[in-house]
Amino acid sequence: MALSFIFHMVFAALGIGLPFLMVLVERQYLRTGQLHYLQLAKKWAKATGLLFAIGAVSGTALAFELGLLWPRYMEIAGPAVGHAFALEAFAFFVEAIFIALYVYGWDRLGRAAHWWCGVVIAVSGAASGILVLAVNAWMQQPVGFVLDAVGRVISTDPFAIFRSYTWYVMWVHSTLACYVAVSFGVAAYYAVTWLRGQRDAYQRSAIVVCLAVGGVGAFLQPISGDFLARFVYRTQPAKFAAMEGNFVTRSHAPMHLGGYPDTAERRMRFAIPIPDGLSLLAAHDPDAIVVGLNEIPDDLWPSVPLTHFAFEVMIAIGTLLMLLSAWFFWRWWRFRDRVLESRRLCRAVAICGPLGFVALEFGWVTTEVGRQPWIVHHVLRTTNAVTPSRAVTPVFFSFVLLYLLLAGTLILLLRYLGRMAPQALAREHFNR
């Protein structure tokens, strides 16, 4: 399941971030009439359609895995949050319909109508991710149901999860992460082509648009992360302690940069402490008391080293992308169209751009591993939710082969799309 999510997460992020970029550049074409914006919109539209198709296959595989591998979880989650899955599927089908209209409607729809089709794609793609996050938010803080005497789920309020603070902080943080990852990833691709000598308005506009979107998201991300961290502090003390390797309950708790949590000795090794940092993160108060892992039974600990490492990687990459964004915005303020004359900036974008996806993946590792040993927090343990079948191993290798096939196919098709000349993409113009 972890392998499936790692693979599918890339497509989920691209399905949220790339249509937004596509809509922005088409809007620039409609506003300015400059042809290179149309070329970008057409190329990103083809990429969106391709990625949507591959993502649909991996998403279908995930749906099968939920039923096959997690029978007890689905028994509980189905009555409680099955409607969130259904709403996500509705958004998915809306996106599919409008992708078809967008890709095949360049010379059949009016300019405004075509652009609005793109807006629907961007909104429905984001809505699909936001709605399915309601399920994960419910796993973090289950609401709106009760268990009867024999353990059956009785849904008491199907809309409770959509009023939950958990859902709001999670979807804001996750959606921003998708915009940041995709924007910097696409910028990195065009930065490489820029460094190889393809220096025209097409390449420059792609880099500038992506860095502008990614840069704004990079500065908003720590704000949303602060709200999410304080929620974790209040509701999941074991996860919060594991994120920072905090073993001792105390006020003025320090934040640890780097280091390794030694669970045998119950202390952090080789870390750089920031005095009061963890208490400030938890409640914006240096006197706030942070519960340590020593207060929590060992069998309720998550994997402390993995949770801490994933959290540190996510924070480090987020900080790096903020600095890169500040560098870009400073150069844009001073040099405008000559912003990319700095080869050092372009190299930094090419190197650091893909790290947004790494941060996205490690953020979800923090979220999911940190919740263990619960699959539904304080309701159902992971060991009680997983299938007892011994036939999981061949299923695992079957899905590995599927993902390798999908990845190979995607790489070949994207390479073919990348080699298409921008002029070939824009031979047809709008009729109206």
Side-chain angles (χ1 to χ4, degrees), residues 76-157:
I76 291 179
V81 289
H83 57 295
F85 282 119
L87 289 171
E88 187 273 337
F90 178 79
F92 174 85
F93 286 120
V94 169
E95 185 181 8
I97 292 168
F98 279 87
I99 284 177
L101 290 172
Y102 191 89
V103 171
Y104 297 106
W106 288 102
D107 57 343
R108 296 174 175 87
L109 298 172
R111 294 187 175 202
H114 187 271
W115 183 77
W116 279 109
C117 286
V119 172
V120 174
I121 296 170
V123 172
S124 59
S128 181
I130 290 170
L131 289 167
V132 81
L133 270 173
V135 178
N136 196 274
W138 176 82
M139 293 164 66
Q140 309 293 333
Q141 190 180 32
V143 293
F145 78 103
V146 295
L147 295 175
D148 65 13
V150 296
R152 290 176 302 192
V153 174
I154 301 173
S155 178
T156 58
D157 185 356

Side-chain angles (χ1 to χ4, degrees), residues 66 70-80 147 150-153 380:
L66 283 172
W70 305 97
R72 178 57 179 160
Y73 166 75
M74 292 304 294
E75 183 182 349
I76 291 179
L147 295 175
V150 296
R152 290 176 302 192
V153 174
L380 181 65

Side-chain angles (χ1 to χ4, degrees), residues 393-412:
T393 301
V395 174
F396 169 75
F397 285 108
S398 299
F399 277 100
V400 169
L401 291 175
L402 171 65
Y403 296 141
L404 289 174
L405 176 63
L406 290 174
T409 303
L410 176 64
I411 290 170
L412 289 175

Side-chain angles (χ1 to χ4, degrees), residues 344-374:
R344 289 183 296 177
L345 174 62
C346 290
R347 289 195 191 99
V349 172
I351 294 170
C352 298
L355 294 179
F357 285 100
V358 178
L360 178 68
E361 298 282 8
F362 275 103
W364 277 106
V365 170
T366 305
T367 299
E368 299 305 293
V369 174
R371 193 186 60 248
Q372 300 305 315
W374 305 100

